[in-house]
Amino acid sequence: MSVEITGGGAIAVDPDEMRAVADRMAATAARLSAAADDLRRAHHTLSSTWSAGGRVDAGGLWATAQHTAEDADELAGDARGTAIMADAFELADLRSEQQLLAVERPVEAGLLQGRIDELVDSYPELDAMATQLTAGWERSSVEGLMDAPVDRAMGFLLDTSLGVPMWLLAPLLQRITARAGTLLNGTRLSGTAPPVAVRPVSTTAVDRVATTLSQLIQRVPGGAAQVAVEKRTHADGTSSFVAYIDGTRTVTSGGEEPWDAGSNWDLYIDREQSAAYAATMESLRQAGAEPGSRVDLVGYSQGGAIAAAVATSGVYATSRVMTVGSPTVPVLSADQTLIRVVHPDDPVGAGLTSGAPAASIGSPDSMTISRDDASSGEVSTFGAHFRDAYDETLALADESGDVRVERMRETLRSEADDIVSVERTEFQATRP
């Protein structure tokens, strides 16, 4: 099983960068064409000069001119094709962004229509190309979901009990999960924070900050604590924070444990402040984070959904979010980096997000890390959601040599050089 690392969304490349490549290809093709013309002129001159006929292979010169002209034509065609493909990528991305905004921000969605129309009118086949790109990504983003024996049996039972085949229900479920599983930038959860008691259970000095992706997820707490906050003091005396948030602790609801099914429902379905979300915000407050402080976030499962909600709320200055197997995906701004780790066969990370938005999300350094068939050998695809499966994926990503991962690791190392001390506090939350 190999790990795949992309820029996130259906379009893994920047259309403007593709256009720049197309321009360079076209310029090179023009130079080759000019060289072919020069060779033809040279052939004509030599052919008309009797004294040169015995010293120069005029036939070879003509053949070289012809080959050069053919190469120029082929490269010019490739340049045109690359430019058209860049337009297709942009069109697919714009349509995905428009669909993302349509329900909650229709005015912003409407502003994209002019450029969409311009692209569609520019080339007859562009519309179909963009649709094919998005459709292919949508299939691959949930590949293997519900393929295990237990999952197929559950699907059969659901078909039988509802009297409606899953192939009819699937499109409706996809629309529901696509909307519920996406948090637009600027989204604030509604409602009043539920009562929750938060207390620190340990405070320790940390010798080293995390400098790899594996180290980031390994700092998510276990045991009694559900949240850990690292307060980092920088060389100039300023402070920043990283919150590490764990996933669901119990599938029941309404008990002492805030990280339960009820908190999942509040955040995912109702978009309300959950007890677990409130506990995370209180943990950050007790750790010293004030509104506007830099707070980066790492979360697994429900913790990823909480991290997404904190990041999109705008309460803190969040520059980096890492979600692992999260049921929601935050749509971040261009100066915020999203590291999304998801298995296409994970019913939580892929299923509850409908594979995630096809539009580009976050800064150019954002990435999506995935691994096909992470539940291989399991009776249910839910095995793809387990922490050990994601730990393996992140270890493979760290070893991959991928340029995005290496750039992120270099960023983490650079930040570590500026940090003089780290205080880590683990917090336990309970419902009163």
Side-chain angles (χ1 to χ4, degrees):
M1 292 181 288
S2 60
V3 66
E4 182 179 14
I5 302 163
T6 69
I11 309 306
V13 295
D14 184 341
D16 287 335
E17 290 183 3
M18 281 194 74
R19 292 187 183 103
V21 171
D23 289 343
R24 290 196 293 272
M25 292 168 67
T28 302
R31 288 195 292 271
L32 285 172
S33 182
D37 290 340
D38 289 342
L39 288 168
R40 290 191 185 102
R41 283 192 290 270
H43 174 268
H44 177 73
T45 300
L46 292 170
S47 297
S48 58
T49 305
W50 290 102
S51 59
R55 296 192 302 272
V56 178
D57 181 5
L61 190 62
W62 179 258
T64 300
Q66 291 297 97
H67 287 315
T68 302
E70 290 169 3
D71 288 344
D73 289 342
E74 184 177 352
L75 187 58
D78 290 343
R80 288 191 294 272
T82 301
I84 290 169
M85 203 66 203
D87 287 348
F89 284 165
E90 183 184 359
L91 178 59
D93 199 37
L94 284 171
R95 280 192 169 152
S96 298
E97 184 180 358
Q98 188 179 58
Q99 185 178 7
L100 191 66
L101 295 170
V103 175
E104 297 181 36
R105 300 180 186 174
V107 174
E108 291 180 42
L111 293 175
L112 302 176
Q113 192 60 46
R115 177 57 178 165
I116 289 173
D117 292 341
E118 181 183 347
L119 287 167
V120 170
D121 293 341
S122 68
Y123 184 71
E125 304 299 324
L126 205 65
D127 192 9
M129 292 170 64
T131 300
Q132 187 175 9
L133 279 170
T134 304
W137 177 85
E138 287 175 348
R139 287 191 299 270
S140 65
S141 64
V142 291
E143 189 173 5
L145 193 64
M146 302 297 288
D147 276 354
V150 169
D151 304 320
R152 289 196 297 269
M154 290 177 63
F156 174 77
L157 290 173
L158 192 60
D159 284 354
T160 305
S161 61
L162 293 177
V164 180
M166 279 301 293
W167 65 269
L168 283 176
L169 287 175
L172 174 62
L173 292 173
Q174 186 178 30
R175 286 194 293 272
I176 292 171
T177 54
R179 182 177 178 184
T182 303
L183 284 176
L184 296 180
N185 203 22
T187 299
R188 291 209 178 194
L189 301 178
S190 63
T192 304
V196 63
V198 178
R199 67 182 184 91
V201 293
S202 68
T203 300
T204 57
V206 178
D207 293 335
R208 296 179 182 177
V209 299
T211 56
T212 69
L213 300 179
S214 292
Q215 289 172 8
L216 284 172
I217 192 60
Q218 286 162 7
R219 297 204 172 194
V220 171
Q226 305 103 331
V227 181
V229 180
E230 291 182 356
K231 180 180 180 180
R232 307 179 299 184
T233 302
H234 297 267
D236 61 0
T238 60
S239 297
S240 64
F241 302 83
V242 182
Y244 300 91
I245 314 163
D246 198 16
T248 302
R249 295 292 182 87
T250 176
V251 295
T252 60
S253 180
E256 221 178 57
E257 173 59 67
W259 266 254
D260 63 356
S263 282
N264 271 318
W265 182 275
D266 291 343
L267 199 156
Y268 181 79
I269 299 295
D270 293 336
R271 293 280 175 88
E272 294 179 351
Q273 295 188 62
S274 67
Y277 174 85
T280 299
M281 298 298 280
E282 175 61 17
S283 298
L284 282 164
R285 188 194 68 78
Q286 290 188 25
E290 299 177 349
S293 297
R294 175 178 171 179
V295 175
D296 292 342
L297 301 139
V298 178
Y300 163 66
S301 191
Q302 184 179 167
I306 296 168
V310 174
T312 58
S313 72
V315 173
Y316 301 109
T318 298
S319 63
R320 183 167 56 244
V321 183
M322 180 177 179
T323 65
V324 178
S326 172
T328 63
V329 180
V331 178
L332 303 180
S333 61
D335 60 351
Q336 295 175 300
T337 297
L338 174 63
I339 306 169
R340 181 173 181 250
V341 191
V342 63
H343 296 144
D345 52 345
D346 176 0
V348 176
L352 293 182
T353 61
S354 194
S360 301
I361 296 172
S363 75
D365 287 331
S366 295
M367 70 184 92
T368 296
I369 301 169
S370 63
R371 178 165 59 96
D372 290 340
D373 200 20
S375 59
S376 177
E378 301 285 345
V379 295
S380 170
T381 52
F382 202 82
H385 184 64
F386 293 160
R387 260 292 305 273
D388 57 355
Y390 278 112
D391 288 345
E392 182 180 351
T393 297
L394 284 166
L396 290 170
D398 277 328
E399 297 167 0
S400 68
D402 181 88
V403 63
R404 298 176 185 87
V405 174
E406 292 305 310
R407 193 160 56 235
M408 178 54 60
R409 292 176 63 170
E410 179 57 36
T411 298
L412 293 170
R413 287 191 292 267
S414 177
E415 290 178 359
D417 291 340
D418 182 56
I419 295 170
V420 295
S421 66
V422 179
E423 181 182 79
R424 176 183 171 94
T425 304
E426 296 194 351
F427 294 91
Q428 182 185 18
T430 57
R431 284 193 178 94

